[in-house]
Amino acid sequence: MSFKPFYISNFDESSGQQNNLESFLIPEKAYTTLENAVCWRGKTVSRPGIQHLARLRRQIVTKTLTQKTTAAPDTIFTIADVFADVSIALRATEPYAEIERGSAAFSSVTIVSGGITFVDDTGVGVLTSVGGSGTINYVTGEIVLTFAAAPGVVDIVVSIWYYPSLPVMGLPRLERGAINDEISIAFDQKYAYLFNSPKFEELLAGTTWSGADWQQFWTCNYIKFDQTRILFVTNNNKTDGIRYYNQLNPVPPIIPAAWTTFAPILTAGTTLTTAACLIQFKNRLLAFNTTEKTGGNDENFPNKIVWSWNGDPTVPGAFNKDIVGKGGYLFASTSEAIVSVAAIRDQLIVKFERSTYRLLFTGNDNLPFVLQKINTDLGCESQFSMITFDKGILSVGDKGICLDDGQGVARIDMKVPNVVFNIKNGDNGITRVSGIREFTSELAYWAYPAAEESDSLKVTFPNKVLVYNYINGTWAVFDDSFTCYGMYQKQQTKTWDEYIEGAWDNESFIWDSGAEQSLFPDIVAGNQDGFVSVIKTLIDCESFNGKTLQLFAITEVLNRLRFTIPNHNLRTGQFIKFSQILGSGGINVTDPTVLNFVNATQSPIFMVNRIDKDKIELQYLYNDLWVNLIPGSLISWAAPQIIAYTGTFLGGSVCVINKINIVTKQFSPFYDQGSQCRLGYIDLFASKTESGQFTCDLLVDCNTSNTVSDMSSNIVSTAPENLTLIPWQVNQDKIWHRIFTNIICQNFTLHLTLSDEQMGSDMNQVALGIEGLNCGEEQFIIHAFAFYLSPNARLVQ
């Protein structure tokens, strides 16, 4: 019997990851696993890439060190760790603090001692000076000063820009008068930052916070009647309390920019210490889940709501219930804690642990608000999971991901019903969940720590992202580590001159797509190392990642190189590359024992062997074998430089390379006829790449691990394959690719992924100038499948 095509395309409503039914029962377009890819606008496409924006950084300004130079005749002085000096004393609380590298246009370090000024204007660990010289190690904080003449016992005064390398705990925007032109700010555990393109800098030095690494910052932009704008901030930590930031008002009355502690009087003898949530509603400031101080003691009221008068909430008495016409409060008729709150239309949705209420405005100044319960079973566990839509609010609860439209609450995650139960509960896992809506790609993201991985790997921070396409209702999972989300608007449109390659052919985004113009609302994400990244849109057509992790140390352990990457969240078998490794040593293309750290910016891709949460070892591909990276290993960063590990490490950063993992349903085309099927061949319709490929494994008869070997090849090229017979393929943007199978089976499943060899680059070939595959950085797009089938023998012999 001849084969008949079974055609599958338009991956929309009935596609995406689906796990609520057995694999053979889900729709033909659905997947049992969809990792690092998403169904979007009719196609299955690899996840959007991540572009490095900046690291959170601050400056230590003109600090006189406790350590001084020593008496003559000494001319060389070593500061073992500038961060550990008593005058600075940061190494204990910021163990991975790293000095920023300088450049010709920017000196990150200025040291004045004995009338001599040392600066870092090279960024390669060398201090320049008239009357001396020096070196600096950016990660250890060691500084060596060499004077031309002995200075005697004198002070050492330093000014240093550095990265605290603490987890990012908030990425809000500061509202200002211009329409849709807001300022990006950021928080880590200790400091607030302002984005002053292209870098972050501390927002008013001297104000610090002391929250834990799971206490994200809740912010509320508030505009007063006189149009003065302030930003209220809380991390629900009673030590820090609530603070607000006054934006600078340069015209009378002049208001200097400042952080102000906010502890309004609620009743006689009681003040507000902190709250879980703050929101402006009906010209009042409302606080939810409050902690209050009475007689010097703090007490938490988890089901309480307090509000200010109709006016400026910062004036004395604004919250005081004892004064007629001022503040007030109410208690919800439940013992559950208020977890989160958001506005929809003309009401506030108040999410408790296991129930949902709405807060309505009465118009009565004596009791301006009332609570009404709208659901008794579905609440919210994760405060920062709330995502607002025009028709409802999405949130992550203990029973599912729910949509609240103000009238009722219902689960929307029935295709992936077990995901919420895989969120780690320990280590405050549920409070680490963070969500945001990406308008351009029409996706909702939730970063979360996965229980099945976190418990076994001892991962603390989120290591997965649940993705919801709210247009077609499909789901996917990405391997990304983010602690919080926010929005960012670039102030200038990029020109071609700003791109490194400077040629259209070398850029993967769509020129003039809108995403590169000024004020475009990009989604940004912060991570556990203090990196902030822009999540590219699917319109950008970019799948590669920028640097997201700090490389803090390289050591030798049992004749293997061990890399310290704080809280890396990496698993054995994942892939990384280095954005840059900096250190001592010069270029030597003939002696492989000399390490060229300097200018080593083009890294091969390595496979990870996880040691613990802060350390990994690496393997690289050499002559089709994965080899441990050891001292003396021959690896190529940019041919023809052959380098190896010796010398002094001075700093570096890491990019994570994501690997697609897609498993289709179990196709059983002739079950209804009681027949097996003969699968003659498979056609895949994919977008063209320059040199990309992927692996298509075939599994039959409910087998989930052993793939069929009797195939023409399981490698599918996404580049033009046969220009002799089909020369016009070079001009196509999509190409059909065929795999011959000729298999008889009851059912079959496709597993689309990238092999380890496709992810990496063979160092032997790279050293010879042959470009590696590096398929993990190529965009993957499947538009359709066509299976050529015919019924065969009886289903059961």
Side-chain angles (χ1 to χ4, degrees):
M1 183 178 293
S2 61
F3 295 119
K4 292 185 177 180
F6 180 67
Y7 180 70
I8 298 173
S9 66
N10 189 19
F11 299 93
D12 243 322
E13 286 81 1
S14 299
S15 59
Q17 182 166 316
Q18 186 167 346
N19 307 117
N20 60 327
L21 299 172
E22 293 290 338
S23 177
F24 73 96
L25 293 175
I26 64 176
E28 280 72 16
K29 301 176 185 180
Y31 301 100
T32 59
T33 302
L34 186 59
E35 295 178 352
N36 296 318
V38 63
C39 292
W40 182 71
R41 297 185 181 179
K43 54 197 173 188
T44 302
V45 56
S46 54
R47 57 179 285 287
I50 296 171
Q51 181 183 51
H52 175 69
L53 179 63
R55 293 176 69 177
L56 302 188
R57 64 166 199 151
R58 63 187 298 267
Q59 187 181 26
I60 299 169
V61 183
T62 56
K63 181 71 70 173
T64 300
L65 299 183
T66 303
Q67 180 177 342
K68 301 178 185 295
T69 59
T70 53
D74 294 343
T75 58
I76 301 176
F77 307 95
T78 299
I79 304 165
D81 182 359
V82 68
F83 294 115
D85 188 90
V86 175
S87 65
I88 296 176
L90 288 176
R91 187 60 80 185
T93 57
E94 301 169 25
Y96 298 109
E98 177 182 348
I99 299 170
E100 183 182 11
R101 303 174 196 175
S103 66
F106 167 74
S107 178
S108 62
V109 176
T110 301
I111 302 173
V112 179
S113 183
I116 306 298
T117 300
F118 303 82
V119 297
D120 176 20
D121 55 8
T122 64
V124 294
V126 176
L127 297 175
T128 60
S129 173
V130 176
S133 62
T135 61
I136 184 169
N137 189 309
Y138 300 103
V139 289
T140 66
E142 182 187 74
I143 298 173
V144 179
L145 303 178
T146 301
F147 292 80
V153 180
V154 295
D155 288 335
I156 303 173
V157 182
V158 302
S159 293
I160 298 174
W161 284 97
Y162 81 101
Y163 308 112
S165 301
L166 297 171
V168 185
M169 292 285 99
L171 289 168
R173 291 190 297 173
L174 191 61
E175 295 278 355
R176 56 183 178 179
I179 296 175
N180 286 331
D181 183 5
E182 320 307 344
I183 301 171
S184 293
I185 62 176
F187 295 90
D188 59 22
Q189 289 176 254
K190 292 179 63 175
Y191 309 108
Y193 304 85
L194 173 73
F195 186 71
N196 187 6
S197 185
K199 298 179 179 181
F200 281 100
E201 57 189 41
E202 191 172 4
L203 180 60
L204 297 182
T207 302
T208 60
W209 281 262
S210 59
D213 62 14
W214 49 268
Q215 290 181 307
Q216 299 183 53
F217 282 81
W218 182 286
T219 60
C220 171
N221 282 280
Y222 194 100
I223 183 168
K224 303 179 184 179
F225 289 142
D226 64 359
Q227 299 305 297
T228 302
R229 297 170 185 270
I230 57 179
L231 179 73
F232 287 96
V233 174
T234 178
N235 60 357
N236 203 18
N237 183 306
K238 64 183 181 181
T239 301
D240 296 332
I242 301 171
R243 298 169 186 170
Y244 64 85
Y245 174 72
N246 273 352
Q247 297 186 47
L248 178 64
N249 185 3
V251 297
I254 296 175
I255 303 173
W259 284 108
T260 303
T261 299
F262 184 66
I265 296 173
L266 301 180
T267 59
T270 300
T271 58
L272 178 64
T273 298
T274 190
C277 311
L278 302 168
I279 197 167
Q280 182 178 10
F281 185 58
K282 298 299 180 180
N283 297 320
R284 302 169 189 262
L285 182 66
L286 283 71
F288 299 79
N289 189 341
T290 61
T291 298
E292 302 169 12
K293 186 182 295 294
T294 304
N297 298 314
D298 286 311
E299 183 178 358
N300 177 238
F301 299 94
N303 61 342
K304 187 177 182 180
I305 305 170
V306 304
W307 56 80
S308 71
W309 73 321
N310 186 347
D312 184 350
T314 64
V315 301
F319 280 81
N320 196 334
K321 182 175 174 57
D322 296 338
I323 302 174
V324 177
K326 295 293 185 177
Y329 64 86
L330 64 79
F331 287 92
S333 56
T334 175
S335 60
E336 299 172 33
I338 297 172
V339 175
S340 197
V341 60
I344 178 174
R345 295 185 287 275
D346 202 32
Q347 58 187 311
L348 295 182
I349 302 301
V350 184
K351 304 295 286 189
F352 290 75
E353 298 170 79
R354 298 174 299 279
S355 60
T356 301
Y357 289 70
R358 60 182 177 183
L359 188 75
L360 302 177
F361 181 62
T362 66
N364 180 350
D365 281 344
N366 292 322
L367 185 63
F369 303 107
V370 294
L371 272 176
Q372 294 180 353
K373 181 181 284 188
I374 57 177
N375 190 280
T376 59
D377 294 319
L378 300 175
C380 174
E381 274 195 326
S382 303
Q383 179 182 1
F384 294 89
S385 68
M386 302 270 277
I387 302 177
T388 302
F389 290 78
D390 52 347
K391 295 183 179 180
I393 298 169
L394 298 182
S395 63
V396 177
D398 66 323
K399 302 178 182 70
I401 299 174
C402 300
L403 174 67
D404 189 327
D405 63 2
Q407 302 297 322
V409 185
R411 288 187 67 176
I412 64 164
D413 60 345
M414 295 312 299
K415 289 183 180 179
V416 286
N418 296 323
V419 170
V420 294
F421 306 118
N422 289 331
I423 297 175
K424 184 179 181 180
N425 290 321
D427 293 325
N428 296 285
I430 58 174
T431 64
R432 298 180 188 274
V433 177
S434 181
I436 200 166
R437 178 183 182 182
E438 207 279 87
F439 286 84
T440 307
S441 300
E442 300 152 343
L443 301 175
Y445 296 120
W446 287 279
Y448 69 97
E452 70 272 12
E453 293 192 354
S454 301
D455 291 343
S456 61
L457 299 178
K458 294 182 173 57
V459 169
T460 299
F461 297 98
N463 60 345
K464 295 285 186 180
V465 174
L466 180 63
V467 184
Y468 176 57
N469 185 324
Y470 55 83
I471 297 299
N472 60 25
T474 60
W475 299 88
V477 176
F478 296 166
D479 288 321
D480 286 312
S481 295
F482 299 130
T483 52
C484 64
Y485 289 106
M487 295 190 72
Y488 153 75
Q489 293 173 285
K490 63 179 72 71
Q491 295 301 303
Q492 291 183 334
T493 301
K494 273 195 172 184
T495 63
W496 280 110
D497 290 340
E498 296 179 75
Y499 289 96
I500 296 175
E501 301 294 343
W504 288 19
D505 288 344
N506 294 319
E507 297 298 339
S508 58
F509 66 85
I510 299 175
W511 180 247
D512 204 25
S513 69
E516 297 299 320
Q517 67 174 318
S518 63
L519 304 184
F520 182 85
D522 281 311
I523 299 300
V524 289
N527 76 355
Q528 65 275 12
D529 273 0
F531 284 75
V532 178
S533 305
V534 176
I535 299 178
K536 305 302 290 183
T537 70
L538 288 171
I539 294 174
D540 289 322
C541 301
E542 296 181 10
S543 294
F544 55 85
N545 293 337
K547 55 188 177 183
T548 56
L549 294 172
Q550 172 194 27
L551 179 59
F552 193 76
I554 304 176
T555 55
E556 181 183 343
V557 179
L558 299 177
N559 199 36
R560 292 186 182 182
L561 292 184
R562 184 163 292 182
F563 299 82
T564 298
I565 304 173
N567 295 307
H568 52 69
N569 268 8
L570 295 170
R571 306 183 307 272
T572 295
Q574 281 191 277
F575 294 83
I576 67 166
K577 70 175 183 179
F578 296 112
S579 174
Q580 187 177 44
I581 290 184
L582 183 69
S584 63
I587 297 176
N588 190 323
V589 299
T590 59
D591 183 358
T593 65
V594 176
L595 172 62
N596 171 33
F597 280 121
V598 182
N599 296 325
T601 57
Q602 299 183 44
S603 165
I605 292 176
F606 297 97
M607 183 189 293
V608 170
N609 177 27
R610 177 191 171 96
I611 303 301
D612 59 32
K613 70 180 186 66
D614 297 320
K615 295 178 178 63
I616 62 171
E617 293 177 354
L618 297 174
Q619 293 184 320
Y620 64 94
L621 193 62
Y622 193 84
N623 281 339
D624 295 327
L625 297 174
W626 287 95
V627 182
N628 291 320
L629 189 58
I630 62 175
S633 297
L634 300 183
I635 57 177
S636 172
W637 297 85
Q641 297 175 19
I642 306 298
I643 60 177
Y645 174 76
T646 59
T648 302
F649 172 73
L650 299 180
S653 51
V654 175
C655 307
V656 180
I657 311 300
N658 295 89
K659 179 178 181 178
I660 60 167
N661 183 29
I662 303 172
V663 181
T664 68
K665 68 163 291 178
Q666 287 179 357
F667 293 98
S668 47
F670 302 113
Y671 271 16
D672 59 348
Q673 299 180 27
S675 298
Q676 299 188 52
C677 73
R678 179 185 291 274
L679 176 61
Y681 42 91
I682 303 168
D683 288 346
L684 302 99
F685 195 34
S687 287
K688 186 189 74 174
T689 64
E690 293 299 319
S691 57
Q693 58 180 238
F694 63 91
T695 297
C696 178
D697 286 325
L698 179 64
L699 302 101
V700 299
D701 297 340
C702 299
N703 196 311
T704 59
S705 57
N706 295 325
T707 60
V708 173
S709 58
D710 189 16
M711 299 168 58
S712 58
S713 173
N714 66 343
I715 296 176
V716 180
S717 172
T718 53
E721 296 178 275
N722 196 339
L723 295 180
T724 301
L725 295 178
I726 316 175
W728 56 85
Q729 273 194 346
V730 70
N731 297 317
Q732 295 179 223
D733 60 358
K734 304 177 187 67
I735 301 176
W736 281 101
H737 305 269
R738 176 163 291 183
I739 299 175
F740 291 93
T741 56
N742 199 26
I743 298 295
I744 298 175
C745 58
Q746 295 175 336
N747 54 64
F748 62 91
T749 300
L750 299 188
H751 180 200
L752 311 181
T753 187
L754 296 173
S755 67
D756 293 343
E757 291 70 28
Q758 288 168 333
M759 289 292 294
S761 301
D762 193 304
M763 293 300 98
N764 188 42
Q765 295 181 358
V766 173
L768 298 174
I770 303 173
E771 185 175 355
L773 291 174
N774 297 343
C775 297
E777 297 187 293
E778 292 268 10
Q779 191 175 43
F780 166 91
I781 302 177
I782 287 291
H783 299 272
F785 300 103
F787 305 119
Y788 291 83
L789 308 168
S790 66
N792 202 267
R794 292 178 300 177
L795 193 59
V796 179
Q797 298 297 320

